[in-house]
Amino acid sequence: MTVMDTHISRRTLMRAMLGAGGGLALGFHIPGAAAAVVAPKPWTTPTEGVEINAWLTIDAAGKVTIRVPHTEQGQGALTSVSMMVAEELDVPWKSVQAVFADMNRHVNQGGEYIVTSTHGSQLVRMQHPHIMRAGASARERLKQAAAEAWGVDRSAVTARQGTLSAGNRSGSYAEFATAAAAVTLDREPGIKPPDQWWLLGTAVARLDVPVKVNGSAHYAIDTRLPGMVYAAVKSCPVPWGRLAGYDAGEARNRPGVVDVVEFRAVPGRTGPNHLQDGIAVVADSWYRARSALDLITVEWDFGTDGGVSDETQAAEARRLWEEPGQVSHEEGDDTLAMIAASARVVSAEYHRPYETHARMEPINATVSVTGERVDVWSPTQNQASALEIVADELGRDTRDVFVHTVFIGGAFGGNGGGNTAVTRQAAMLSRQLGRPVKVIWSREEDIAQDKQRPPHYTRLSAALGENGLPEAFFSRAVWFAYQGASSHGPATADYAIGTMPYRVPNRRHERHNPAAHIPTTTHRAPGANQNGFIIEQFVDEMALAGGWDPLEWRLEMTKGMEPWQRVLIKLKEVSGFTTDLPRGEGMGVAVVEDHGSYCGACATVTVSRGGELRIEKIVLVMNSGYIINPLNAAEQMEGAACWELSHALNGGLQLRDGQFANLNFDSYNLMRIDQMPAVECHFALSQDGWWGGVAEPGGPPVPPAVANAIFFATGKRARSTPISRHDLSWS
Amino acid sequence: MTLTLTVNGATYEVDAEPETPLLWVLRDSIGLTGTKFGCGVAQCGVCTVHVDGEAVRSCALPLDSVVGTQITTIEGLSGDNSHPVQRAWIEHAVPQCGYCQSGQIMSAAALLRQTPDPTDDDIDAAMAGNLCRCGTYPRIRQAIRRAAELMEDA
């Protein structure tokens, strides 16, 4: 059986499960050679074929080229968008090739792709209606063209696997493509319900894998243009500090150096992609530019922000813990009075530090400015936004700006033209020097100038009732978000605490949002990762203080909530969770909602007497409503688990003198293969009309499950990260 | 200064300072961009290439130290994705963003040449210098075991 004739039933989907070995428990195969492909150069839009609509062309041989308006940052957009269009168009998967869509056309011709930003685990869950409609519309227009040619009603024509037929007549899509392109439908069709899917819901190999095993995949950093020069840059290490003076004499005399250029912040332009004070060295190779930059002595004016550190923020948080904050969520009577009067109180303090994105491709951009046109390569999560930023920086018409979508070496919520100044830097330098310029941030610059994940300091308390369950629950969180960052505000600060499902009759959640000078932004599963670690450990603290098994506590406290119950029941079934293990071994559970999906985790750990932690296994159960590709969904769950374990175990930016001190992988430690546990992914899908995201929700429950397991193994609770700084020894 | 390099069997005359890291010569002078830049301090492994069959971090390897050696980059591993490691990587759908995978594959290929049937500890030891931010580590483990099988069959 191949993927092409796999009809997946609701019942089959419910059983969809991938084992620890990555092998599929379902009886369908991962397609091999007979599969769709990425076009040879997906970053150049092919011109062959007839355009049925903005999303697809069909050539004379029947090859269908699907134009993907989203970015491919490792989350599978090329494959997911192509699957959704092909599902409705009803063409053999092997006849599909995927390319990136033309952003100049999108921006200047009325936004025909509707959404181009690729973030928030949104692509499938939120964009599937209009993406599938594009395929359905093309199919109906092909049917209409055939109906007119054959003199029959469109309802008499069927379209299946690239062939149109009515009675004893039939023809290929290719034969009717030109006529279909001219058809206007009276009414645009709706999309298929899940029980009619033939391709969606099956395990499809990602299209971009083959080009990523031989070095041929083109990333922005790989762009090479005739006459291009390279720039290494350094902006003020204390964000928004000023360039007071510098001596570039020695740098200018180095071989290959073309120029030394100042960047200056523009008054009133303080957004995340605007220029800050800094220096660029431009040379005929990046290594020469970087070496010369290191020879420049710079005097910065840090202002008062140069006195901010982890210690000053911690002191500020402790002070604010004593003051009432803004109430973000409240239920029931006077929560604080109940806790004050209770004889059974549980309380704890938690902390998460700043974290950075550190995607493996350092931030970079290449821009070529000429009188006729501007060409841009930027690893941004929104290519249309990069186009508009460059047009704004240069004062050019958007019709003259061409952004070339290429692969992105990771993004994780932090990327590109919209989130860093790199695209403006490259545009400014290219205009000034009159030749193409590639700007690459060193890893140190990438971490120092990233928009970071904000730190959390949270104090919690609860009063337990007769049955050991909480009657009143209180939290007060301090969250140091950048004052100007509108996209990363209070709602994220409260995520997973304010939105926790547990039925506590009296609840009060407060926050303080003190202004901080460190720019912050979204980070894979923003809010849910920080708060998941906090709330799901505190749940265990409450459960154990009340004499409850942690998994039974969660089942009891989410009674009647179908999406949560489905996950917890499945987790109980597949994980073998138990608190009855010898000292040094532990299992822990957690469950967190993120981006509309519910994910539970069970971690199994061992801790030696000396305190050496080993995570043996992570079992994940996801309820995202539906999934369109269990293979890619499992990859995303594994990836999200590794992402947040990386920060929880290692990670942790250190803020000193207003700037970060650990700026490369020798000091900002991330998870390596020897720390990575086996991850087993299961699905427990409601399939009840709602869709959740897939790329992020696998992360948040994992670190608290590990920390809860560590507690059972050692009796020690790690209430801050990185966990590696805790002494886990036991006797 | 002009130095002569042998990369993927071809000879290149390169004009660069002798201390220039091999990585930038490969990427900027020769145009082999499959080898990536990640940290510049030999900590992440995305720049891994083979020098006389050994996996090395090209971002911290001075040009004058590799004159007279045989350098192999990801582009030279096979012309058609047929190397057992590449086949196993495709079979196990390893890459996500893909940026680190040239380095992962070069490290894995060097491991399997020296240790045809690696244990989990061998894999961890050989691959711990290669960071992946997408979290493909479980699939890298599976793919290396699979590549070992493919090499044994060959």
Side-chain angles (χ1 to χ4, degrees), chain A residues 607-629:
Chain A
V607 183
S608 71
R609 284 179 189 274
E612 193 186 346
L613 169 68
R614 186 181 158 86
I615 307 170
E616 304 291 342
K617 186 170 148 184
I618 302 289
V619 176
L620 289 174
V621 177
M622 169 91 87
N623 184 356
S624 52
Y626 301 88
I627 47 170
I628 65 164
N629 184 351

mmCIF file with all atom_site columns, all heavy atoms in Angstrom, chain A residues 607-629:
data_model
loop_
_atom_site.group_PDB
_atom_site.id
_atom_site.type_symbol
_atom_site.label_atom_id
_atom_site.label_alt_id
_atom_site.label_comp_id
_atom_site.label_asym_id
_atom_site.label_entity_id
_atom_site.label_seq_id
_atom_site.pdbx_PDB_ins_code
_atom_site.Cartn_x
_atom_site.Cartn_y
_atom_site.Cartn_z
_atom_site.occupancy
_atom_site.B_iso_or_equiv
_atom_site.pdbx_formal_charge
_atom_site.auth_seq_id
_atom_site.auth_comp_id
_atom_site.auth_asym_id
_atom_site.auth_atom_id
_atom_site.pdbx_PDB_model_num
ATOM 1   N N   . VAL A 1 607 ? 19.033  9.135  39.090 1.00 0.00 ? 607 VAL A N   1
ATOM 2   C CA  . VAL A 1 607 ? 19.995  10.085 39.650 1.00 0.00 ? 607 VAL A CA  1
ATOM 3   C C   . VAL A 1 607 ? 20.937  9.282  40.549 1.00 0.00 ? 607 VAL A C   1
ATOM 4   O O   . VAL A 1 607 ? 20.486  8.591  41.466 1.00 0.00 ? 607 VAL A O   1
ATOM 5   C CB  . VAL A 1 607 ? 19.298  11.191 40.472 1.00 0.00 ? 607 VAL A CB  1
ATOM 6   C CG1 . VAL A 1 607 ? 20.335  12.201 40.979 1.00 0.00 ? 607 VAL A CG1 1
ATOM 7   C CG2 . VAL A 1 607 ? 18.217  11.896 39.652 1.00 0.00 ? 607 VAL A CG2 1
ATOM 8   N N   . SER A 1 608 ? 22.223  9.386  40.250 1.00 0.00 ? 608 SER A N   1
ATOM 9   C CA  . SER A 1 608 ? 23.198  8.648  41.073 1.00 0.00 ? 608 SER A CA  1
ATOM 10  C C   . SER A 1 608 ? 23.299  9.305  42.447 1.00 0.00 ? 608 SER A C   1
ATOM 11  O O   . SER A 1 608 ? 22.892  10.449 42.640 1.00 0.00 ? 608 SER A O   1
ATOM 12  C CB  . SER A 1 608 ? 24.565  8.655  40.393 1.00 0.00 ? 608 SER A CB  1
ATOM 13  O OG  . SER A 1 608 ? 25.117  9.960  40.460 1.00 0.00 ? 608 SER A OG  1
ATOM 14  N N   . ARG A 1 609 ? 23.898  8.569  43.414 1.00 0.00 ? 609 ARG A N   1
ATOM 15  C CA  . ARG A 1 609 ? 24.093  9.158  44.756 1.00 0.00 ? 609 ARG A CA  1
ATOM 16  C C   . ARG A 1 609 ? 24.894  10.445 44.673 1.00 0.00 ? 609 ARG A C   1
ATOM 17  O O   . ARG A 1 609 ? 24.695  11.372 45.453 1.00 0.00 ? 609 ARG A O   1
ATOM 18  C CB  . ARG A 1 609 ? 24.812  8.165  45.672 1.00 0.00 ? 609 ARG A CB  1
ATOM 19  C CG  . ARG A 1 609 ? 23.906  7.063  46.174 1.00 0.00 ? 609 ARG A CG  1
ATOM 20  C CD  . ARG A 1 609 ? 24.665  6.095  47.061 1.00 0.00 ? 609 ARG A CD  1
ATOM 21  N NE  . ARG A 1 609 ? 23.846  4.934  47.373 1.00 0.00 ? 609 ARG A NE  1
ATOM 22  C CZ  . ARG A 1 609 ? 22.989  4.889  48.389 1.00 0.00 ? 609 ARG A CZ  1
ATOM 23  N NH1 . ARG A 1 609 ? 22.865  5.917  49.189 1.00 0.00 ? 609 ARG A NH1 1
ATOM 24  N NH2 . ARG A 1 609 ? 22.266  3.809  48.602 1.00 0.00 ? 609 ARG A NH2 1
ATOM 25  N N   . GLY A 1 610 ? 25.803  10.490 43.722 1.00 0.00 ? 610 GLY A N   1
ATOM 26  C CA  . GLY A 1 610 ? 26.619  11.685 43.557 1.00 0.00 ? 610 GLY A CA  1
ATOM 27  C C   . GLY A 1 610 ? 25.870  12.835 42.893 1.00 0.00 ? 610 GLY A C   1
ATOM 28  O O   . GLY A 1 610 ? 26.407  13.932 42.780 1.00 0.00 ? 610 GLY A O   1
ATOM 29  N N   . GLY A 1 611 ? 24.642  12.570 42.421 1.00 0.00 ? 611 GLY A N   1
ATOM 30  C CA  . GLY A 1 611 ? 23.829  13.630 41.848 1.00 0.00 ? 611 GLY A CA  1
ATOM 31  C C   . GLY A 1 611 ? 23.863  13.713 40.333 1.00 0.00 ? 611 GLY A C   1
ATOM 32  O O   . GLY A 1 611 ? 23.396  14.682 39.749 1.00 0.00 ? 611 GLY A O   1
ATOM 33  N N   . GLU A 1 612 ? 24.376  12.664 39.687 1.00 0.00 ? 612 GLU A N   1
ATOM 34  C CA  . GLU A 1 612 ? 24.409  12.692 38.233 1.00 0.00 ? 612 GLU A CA  1
ATOM 35  C C   . GLU A 1 612 ? 23.048  12.278 37.668 1.00 0.00 ? 612 GLU A C   1
ATOM 36  O O   . GLU A 1 612 ? 22.564  11.176 37.930 1.00 0.00 ? 612 GLU A O   1
ATOM 37  C CB  . GLU A 1 612 ? 25.512  11.765 37.698 1.00 0.00 ? 612 GLU A CB  1
ATOM 38  C CG  . GLU A 1 612 ? 25.793  11.992 36.231 1.00 0.00 ? 612 GLU A CG  1
ATOM 39  C CD  . GLU A 1 612 ? 26.774  10.975 35.641 1.00 0.00 ? 612 GLU A CD  1
ATOM 40  O OE1 . GLU A 1 612 ? 27.444  10.257 36.412 1.00 0.00 ? 612 GLU A OE1 1
ATOM 41  O OE2 . GLU A 1 612 ? 26.834  10.897 34.408 1.00 0.00 ? 612 GLU A OE2 1
ATOM 42  N N   . LEU A 1 613 ? 22.460  13.181 36.897 1.00 0.00 ? 613 LEU A N   1
ATOM 43  C CA  . LEU A 1 613 ? 21.114  12.963 36.343 1.00 0.00 ? 613 LEU A CA  1
ATOM 44  C C   . LEU A 1 613 ? 21.201  12.308 34.976 1.00 0.00 ? 613 LEU A C   1
ATOM 45  O O   . LEU A 1 613 ? 21.999  12.707 34.129 1.00 0.00 ? 613 LEU A O   1
ATOM 46  C CB  . LEU A 1 613 ? 20.405  14.319 36.201 1.00 0.00 ? 613 LEU A CB  1
ATOM 47  C CG  . LEU A 1 613 ? 19.096  14.340 35.394 1.00 0.00 ? 613 LEU A CG  1
ATOM 48  C CD1 . LEU A 1 613 ? 17.993  13.595 36.123 1.00 0.00 ? 613 LEU A CD1 1
ATOM 49  C CD2 . LEU A 1 613 ? 18.678  15.786 35.108 1.00 0.00 ? 613 LEU A CD2 1
ATOM 50  N N   . ARG A 1 614 ? 20.349  11.309 34.773 1.00 0.00 ? 614 ARG A N   1
ATOM 51  C CA  . ARG A 1 614 ? 20.201  10.741 33.439 1.00 0.00 ? 614 ARG A CA  1
ATOM 52  C C   . ARG A 1 614 ? 18.703  10.619 33.139 1.00 0.00 ? 614 ARG A C   1
ATOM 53  O O   . ARG A 1 614 ? 17.955  10.003 33.903 1.00 0.00 ? 614 ARG A O   1
ATOM 54  C CB  . ARG A 1 614 ? 20.875  9.366  33.379 1.00 0.00 ? 614 ARG A CB  1
ATOM 55  C CG  . ARG A 1 614 ? 20.888  8.758  31.995 1.00 0.00 ? 614 ARG A CG  1
ATOM 56  C CD  . ARG A 1 614 ? 21.556  7.379  32.004 1.00 0.00 ? 614 ARG A CD  1
ATOM 57  N NE  . ARG A 1 614 ? 21.114  6.633  30.845 1.00 0.00 ? 614 ARG A NE  1
ATOM 58  C CZ  . ARG A 1 614 ? 21.687  6.710  29.646 1.00 0.00 ? 614 ARG A CZ  1
ATOM 59  N NH1 . ARG A 1 614 ? 22.752  7.450  29.465 1.00 0.00 ? 614 ARG A NH1 1
ATOM 60  N NH2 . ARG A 1 614 ? 21.219  6.010  28.627 1.00 0.00 ? 614 ARG A NH2 1
ATOM 61  N N   . ILE A 1 615 ? 18.275  11.233 32.047 1.00 0.00 ? 615 ILE A N   1
ATOM 62  C CA  . ILE A 1 615 ? 16.867  11.115 31.652 1.00 0.00 ? 615 ILE A CA  1
ATOM 63  C C   . ILE A 1 615 ? 16.766  9.904  30.741 1.00 0.00 ? 615 ILE A C   1
ATOM 64  O O   . ILE A 1 615 ? 17.356  9.868  29.666 1.00 0.00 ? 615 ILE A O   1
ATOM 65  C CB  . ILE A 1 615 ? 16.374  12.385 30.932 1.00 0.00 ? 615 ILE A CB  1
ATOM 66  C CG1 . ILE A 1 615 ? 16.665  13.622 31.793 1.00 0.00 ? 615 ILE A CG1 1
ATOM 67  C CG2 . ILE A 1 615 ? 14.885  12.286 30.620 1.00 0.00 ? 615 ILE A CG2 1
ATOM 68  C CD1 . ILE A 1 615 ? 16.428  14.927 31.075 1.00 0.00 ? 615 ILE A CD1 1
ATOM 69  N N   . GLU A 1 616 ? 16.042  8.904  31.197 1.00 0.00 ? 616 GLU A N   1
ATOM 70  C CA  . GLU A 1 616 ? 15.989  7.642  30.458 1.00 0.00 ? 616 GLU A CA  1
ATOM 71  C C   . GLU A 1 616 ? 15.007  7.721  29.297 1.00 0.00 ? 616 GLU A C   1
ATOM 72  O O   . GLU A 1 616 ? 15.266  7.205  28.217 1.00 0.00 ? 616 GLU A O   1
ATOM 73  C CB  . GLU A 1 616 ? 15.579  6.494  31.391 1.00 0.00 ? 616 GLU A CB  1
ATOM 74  C CG  . GLU A 1 616 ? 16.470  6.320  32.625 1.00 0.00 ? 616 GLU A CG  1
ATOM 75  C CD  . GLU A 1 616 ? 17.857  5.813  32.272 1.00 0.00 ? 616 GLU A CD  1
ATOM 76  O OE1 . GLU A 1 616 ? 18.041  5.272  31.173 1.00 0.00 ? 616 GLU A OE1 1
ATOM 77  O OE2 . GLU A 1 616 ? 18.771  5.982  33.118 1.00 0.00 ? 616 GLU A OE2 1
ATOM 78  N N   . LYS A 1 617 ? 13.876  8.362  29.537 1.00 0.00 ? 617 LYS A N   1
ATOM 79  C CA  . LYS A 1 617 ? 12.822  8.309  28.518 1.00 0.00 ? 617 LYS A CA  1
ATOM 80  C C   . LYS A 1 617 ? 11.797  9.408  28.765 1.00 0.00 ? 617 LYS A C   1
ATOM 81  O O   . LYS A 1 617 ? 11.498  9.742  29.918 1.00 0.00 ? 617 LYS A O   1
ATOM 82  C CB  . LYS A 1 617 ? 12.128  6.943  28.598 1.00 0.00 ? 617 LYS A CB  1
ATOM 83  C CG  . LYS A 1 617 ? 11.103  6.672  27.521 1.00 0.00 ? 617 LYS A CG  1
ATOM 84  C CD  . LYS A 1 617 ? 10.719  5.194  27.604 1.00 0.00 ? 617 LYS A CD  1
ATOM 85  C CE  . LYS A 1 617 ? 9.296   4.955  27.210 1.00 0.00 ? 617 LYS A CE  1
ATOM 86  N NZ  . LYS A 1 617 ? 8.902   3.563  27.388 1.00 0.00 ? 617 LYS A NZ  1
ATOM 87  N N   . ILE A 1 618 ? 11.275  9.931  27.683 1.00 0.00 ? 618 ILE A N   1
ATOM 88  C CA  . ILE A 1 618 ? 10.148  10.863 27.750 1.00 0.00 ? 618 ILE A CA  1
ATOM 89  C C   . ILE A 1 618 ? 9.007   10.257 26.941 1.00 0.00 ? 618 ILE A C   1
ATOM 90  O O   . ILE A 1 618 ? 9.196   9.883  25.769 1.00 0.00 ? 618 ILE A O   1
ATOM 91  C CB  . ILE A 1 618 ? 10.492  12.240 27.132 1.00 0.00 ? 618 ILE A CB  1
ATOM 92  C CG1 . ILE A 1 618 ? 11.703  12.884 27.818 1.00 0.00 ? 618 ILE A CG1 1
ATOM 93  C CG2 . ILE A 1 618 ? 9.270   13.164 27.152 1.00 0.00 ? 618 ILE A CG2 1
ATOM 94  C CD1 . ILE A 1 618 ? 11.471  13.376 29.204 1.00 0.00 ? 618 ILE A CD1 1
ATOM 95  N N   . VAL A 1 619 ? 7.838   10.144 27.536 1.00 0.00 ? 619 VAL A N   1
ATOM 96  C CA  . VAL A 1 619 ? 6.637   9.733  26.797 1.00 0.00 ? 619 VAL A CA  1
ATOM 97  C C   . VAL A 1 619 ? 5.755   10.964 26.652 1.00 0.00 ? 619 VAL A C   1
ATOM 98  O O   . VAL A 1 619 ? 5.457   11.643 27.641 1.00 0.00 ? 619 VAL A O   1
ATOM 99  C CB  . VAL A 1 619 ? 5.867   8.620  27.543 1.00 0.00 ? 619 VAL A CB  1
ATOM 100 C CG1 . VAL A 1 619 ? 4.573   8.279  26.810 1.00 0.00 ? 619 VAL A CG1 1
ATOM 101 C CG2 . VAL A 1 619 ? 6.738   7.381  27.695 1.00 0.00 ? 619 VAL A CG2 1
ATOM 102 N N   . LEU A 1 620 ? 5.378   11.285 25.424 1.00 0.00 ? 620 LEU A N   1
ATOM 103 C CA  . LEU A 1 620 ? 4.522   12.445 25.163 1.00 0.00 ? 620 LEU A CA  1
ATOM 104 C C   . LEU A 1 620 ? 3.177   11.985 24.620 1.00 0.00 ? 620 LEU A C   1
ATOM 105 O O   . LEU A 1 620 ? 3.121   11.063 23.792 1.00 0.00 ? 620 LEU A O   1
ATOM 106 C CB  . LEU A 1 620 ? 5.160   13.370 24.118 1.00 0.00 ? 620 LEU A CB  1
ATOM 107 C CG  . LEU A 1 620 ? 6.383   14.180 24.535 1.00 0.00 ? 620 LEU A CG  1
ATOM 108 C CD1 . LEU A 1 620 ? 6.953   14.913 23.323 1.00 0.00 ? 620 LEU A CD1 1
ATOM 109 C CD2 . LEU A 1 620 ? 6.017   15.171 25.630 1.00 0.00 ? 620 LEU A CD2 1
ATOM 110 N N   . VAL A 1 621 ? 2.115   12.634 25.072 1.00 0.00 ? 621 VAL A N   1
ATOM 111 C CA  . VAL A 1 621 ? 0.785   12.402 24.509 1.00 0.00 ? 621 VAL A CA  1
ATOM 112 C C   . VAL A 1 621 ? 0.217   13.759 24.103 1.00 0.00 ? 621 VAL A C   1
ATOM 113 O O   . VAL A 1 621 ? 0.122   14.668 24.934 1.00 0.00 ? 621 VAL A O   1
ATOM 114 C CB  . VAL A 1 621 ? -0.166  11.727 25.512 1.00 0.00 ? 621 VAL A CB  1
ATOM 115 C CG1 . VAL A 1 621 ? -1.563  11.576 24.897 1.00 0.00 ? 621 VAL A CG1 1
ATOM 116 C CG2 . VAL A 1 621 ? 0.371   10.370 25.939 1.00 0.00 ? 621 VAL A CG2 1
ATOM 117 N N   . MET A 1 622 ? -0.125  13.900 22.831 1.00 0.00 ? 622 MET A N   1
ATOM 118 C CA  . MET A 1 622 ? -0.588  15.184 22.298 1.00 0.00 ? 622 MET A CA  1
ATOM 119 C C   . MET A 1 622 ? -2.037  15.087 21.852 1.00 0.00 ? 622 MET A C   1
ATOM 120 O O   . MET A 1 622 ? -2.425  14.132 21.181 1.00 0.00 ? 622 MET A O   1
ATOM 121 C CB  . MET A 1 622 ? 0.283   15.553 21.093 1.00 0.00 ? 622 MET A CB  1
ATOM 122 C CG  . MET A 1 622 ? -0.232  16.715 20.270 1.00 0.00 ? 622 MET A CG  1
ATOM 123 S SD  . MET A 1 622 ? 0.433   18.263 20.839 1.00 0.00 ? 622 MET A SD  1
ATOM 124 C CE  . MET A 1 622 ? 1.937   18.271 19.872 1.00 0.00 ? 622 MET A CE  1
ATOM 125 N N   . ASN A 1 623 ? -2.796  16.123 22.213 1.00 0.00 ? 623 ASN A N   1
ATOM 126 C CA  . ASN A 1 623 ? -4.141  16.283 21.648 1.00 0.00 ? 623 ASN A CA  1
ATOM 127 C C   . ASN A 1 623 ? -4.181  17.631 20.951 1.00 0.00 ? 623 ASN A C   1
ATOM 128 O O   . ASN A 1 623 ? -4.302  18.675 21.593 1.00 0.00 ? 623 ASN A O   1
ATOM 129 C CB  . ASN A 1 623 ? -5.201  16.220 22.747 1.00 0.00 ? 623 ASN A CB  1
ATOM 130 C CG  . ASN A 1 623 ? -6.621  16.288 22.182 1.00 0.00 ? 623 ASN A CG  1
ATOM 131 O OD1 . ASN A 1 623 ? -6.802  16.451 20.971 1.00 0.00 ? 623 ASN A OD1 1
ATOM 132 N ND2 . ASN A 1 623 ? -7.613  16.174 23.050 1.00 0.00 ? 623 ASN A ND2 1
ATOM 133 N N   . SER A 1 624 ? -4.011  17.599 19.627 1.00 0.00 ? 624 SER A N   1
ATOM 134 C CA  . SER A 1 624 ? -4.062  18.834 18.839 1.00 0.00 ? 624 SER A CA  1
ATOM 135 C C   . SER A 1 624 ? -5.348  18.872 18.010 1.00 0.00 ? 624 SER A C   1
ATOM 136 O O   . SER A 1 624 ? -5.420  19.554 17.006 1.00 0.00 ? 624 SER A O   1
ATOM 137 C CB  . SER A 1 624 ? -2.829  18.917 17.928 1.00 0.00 ? 624 SER A CB  1
ATOM 138 O OG  . SER A 1 624 ? -2.686  17.730 17.168 1.00 0.00 ? 624 SER A OG  1
ATOM 139 N N   . GLY A 1 625 ? -6.348  18.110 18.430 1.00 0.00 ? 625 GLY A N   1
ATOM 140 C CA  . GLY A 1 625 ? -7.603  18.073 17.677 1.00 0.00 ? 625 GLY A CA  1
ATOM 141 C C   . GLY A 1 625 ? -7.482  17.151 16.480 1.00 0.00 ? 625 GLY A C   1
ATOM 142 O O   . GLY A 1 625 ? -8.091  16.090 16.430 1.00 0.00 ? 625 GLY A O   1
ATOM 143 N N   . TYR A 1 626 ? -6.656  17.588 15.509 1.00 0.00 ? 626 TYR A N   1
ATOM 144 C CA  . TYR A 1 626 ? -6.364  16.792 14.318 1.00 0.00 ? 626 TYR A CA  1
ATOM 145 C C   . TYR A 1 626 ? -4.866  16.846 14.062 1.00 0.00 ? 626 TYR A C   1
ATOM 146 O O   . TYR A 1 626 ? -4.183  17.739 14.555 1.00 0.00 ? 626 TYR A O   1
ATOM 147 C CB  . TYR A 1 626 ? -7.072  17.365 13.079 1.00 0.00 ? 626 TYR A CB  1
ATOM 148 C CG  . TYR A 1 626 ? -8.570  17.419 13.210 1.00 0.00 ? 626 TYR A CG  1
ATOM 149 C CD1 . TYR A 1 626 ? -9.196  18.529 13.777 1.00 0.00 ? 626 TYR A CD1 1
ATOM 150 C CD2 . TYR A 1 626 ? -9.370  16.368 12.757 1.00 0.00 ? 626 TYR A CD2 1
ATOM 151 C CE1 . TYR A 1 626 ? -10.582 18.588 13.909 1.00 0.00 ? 626 TYR A CE1 1
ATOM 152 C CE2 . TYR A 1 626 ? -10.751 16.420 12.884 1.00 0.00 ? 626 TYR A CE2 1
ATOM 153 C CZ  . TYR A 1 626 ? -11.355 17.524 13.461 1.00 0.00 ? 626 TYR A CZ  1
ATOM 154 O OH  . TYR A 1 626 ? -12.712 17.566 13.586 1.00 0.00 ? 626 TYR A OH  1
ATOM 155 N N   . ILE A 1 627 ? -4.353  15.922 13.275 1.00 0.00 ? 627 ILE A N   1
ATOM 156 C CA  . ILE A 1 627 ? -3.020  16.083 12.702 1.00 0.00 ? 627 ILE A CA  1
ATOM 157 C C   . ILE A 1 627 ? -3.102  15.727 11.227 1.00 0.00 ? 627 ILE A C   1
ATOM 158 O O   . ILE A 1 627 ? -3.873  14.845 10.842 1.00 0.00 ? 627 ILE A O   1
ATOM 159 C CB  . ILE A 1 627 ? -1.938  15.211 13.381 1.00 0.00 ? 627 ILE A CB  1
ATOM 160 C CG1 . ILE A 1 627 ? -2.420  13.766 13.552 1.00 0.00 ? 627 ILE A CG1 1
ATOM 161 C CG2 . ILE A 1 627 ? -1.492  15.803 14.708 1.00 0.00 ? 627 ILE A CG2 1
ATOM 162 C CD1 . ILE A 1 627 ? -1.318  12.822 13.986 1.00 0.00 ? 627 ILE A CD1 1
ATOM 163 N N   . ILE A 1 628 ? -2.306  16.428 10.414 1.00 0.00 ? 628 ILE A N   1
ATOM 164 C CA  . ILE A 1 628 ? -2.338  16.106 8.971  1.00 0.00 ? 628 ILE A CA  1
ATOM 165 C C   . ILE A 1 628 ? -1.180  15.199 8.571  1.00 0.00 ? 628 ILE A C   1
ATOM 166 O O   . ILE A 1 628 ? -1.176  14.662 7.480  1.00 0.00 ? 628 ILE A O   1
ATOM 167 C CB  . ILE A 1 628 ? -2.341  17.373 8.081  1.00 0.00 ? 628 ILE A CB  1
ATOM 168 C CG1 . ILE A 1 628 ? -1.038  18.161 8.212  1.00 0.00 ? 628 ILE A CG1 1
ATOM 169 C CG2 . ILE A 1 628 ? -3.559  18.242 8.379  1.00 0.00 ? 628 ILE A CG2 1
ATOM 170 C CD1 . ILE A 1 628 ? -0.840  19.182 7.092  1.00 0.00 ? 628 ILE A CD1 1
ATOM 171 N N   . ASN A 1 629 ? -0.175  15.036 9.449  1.00 0.00 ? 629 ASN A N   1
ATOM 172 C CA  . ASN A 1 629 ? 0.974   14.204 9.084  1.00 0.00 ? 629 ASN A CA  1
ATOM 173 C C   . ASN A 1 629 ? 1.630   13.697 10.369 1.00 0.00 ? 629 ASN A C   1
ATOM 174 O O   . ASN A 1 629 ? 2.414   14.398 10.998 1.00 0.00 ? 629 ASN A O   1
ATOM 175 C CB  . ASN A 1 629 ? 1.965   15.038 8.264  1.00 0.00 ? 629 ASN A CB  1
ATOM 176 C CG  . ASN A 1 629 ? 3.142   14.203 7.758  1.00 0.00 ? 629 ASN A CG  1
ATOM 177 O OD1 . ASN A 1 629 ? 3.331   13.046 8.140  1.00 0.00 ? 629 ASN A OD1 1
ATOM 178 N ND2 . ASN A 1 629 ? 3.950   14.806 6.901  1.00 0.00 ? 629 ASN A ND2 1
#
